Amino acid sequence: MDELGVNHVDEIKEKLEQMVGDRVKVKANMGRTRVIERMGAIKTVHPSVFIVEVNERRGRTSRQSYQYVDVLTGTVELFDPETGEHIFTPLGNQTEEH
């Protein structure tokens, strides 16, 4: 998966539509120094959120929903589970090329 520098929610949504079914690692900042990391697959893409199906302990699955704007701002980060590389670069981490 190629890393994609993004600055529009629409670009994130379009990329995730192409990735439905793909496995990702999700790192979400829940506030108050609470960060969760989960492995799962992108299940569905909706107009303002996307759903990741996560394998929990004892064979159970759960579905977590995330907003595209959280990916844009870096509150939610998505990584390639094989390489560990960011799938999207959060706004604050993009560097301008001259």
Side-chain angles (χ1 to χ4, degrees):
M1 291 180 214
D2 295 331
E3 184 174 334
L4 181 66
V6 292
N7 57 5
H8 294 294
V9 171
D10 291 340
E11 294 173 13
I12 296 170
K13 182 176 180 279
E14 289 171 12
K15 173 73 172 174
L16 289 175
E17 284 173 343
Q18 298 169 8
M19 295 176 61
V20 169
D22 291 354
R23 292 191 49 77
V24 293
K25 177 180 173 185
V26 179
K27 182 177 177 182
N29 183 341
M30 305 302 284
R32 292 189 156 225
T33 68
R34 187 167 164 240
V35 176
I36 60 166
E37 291 188 25
R38 293 199 166 107
M39 296 288 282
I42 297 172
K43 193 70 176 171
T44 56
V45 176
H46 298 283
S48 58
V49 298
F50 62 98
I51 310 294
V52 177
E53 189 169 80
V54 178
N55 294 324
E56 299 286 347
R57 283 178 259 182
R58 299 185 193 116
R60 291 186 294 179
T61 60
S62 68
R63 291 184 178 186
Q64 307 290 319
S65 64
Y66 301 101
Q67 296 181 336
Y68 304 115
V69 70
D70 289 335
V71 174
L72 182 68
T73 61
T75 304
V76 172
E77 297 174 88
L78 299 175
F79 300 90
D80 182 318
E82 302 296 321
T83 65
E85 294 179 6
H86 276 94
I87 295 171
F88 300 102
T89 303
L91 270 180
N93 295 349
Q94 292 182 19
T95 56
E96 292 184 26
E97 296 180 10
H98 296 285

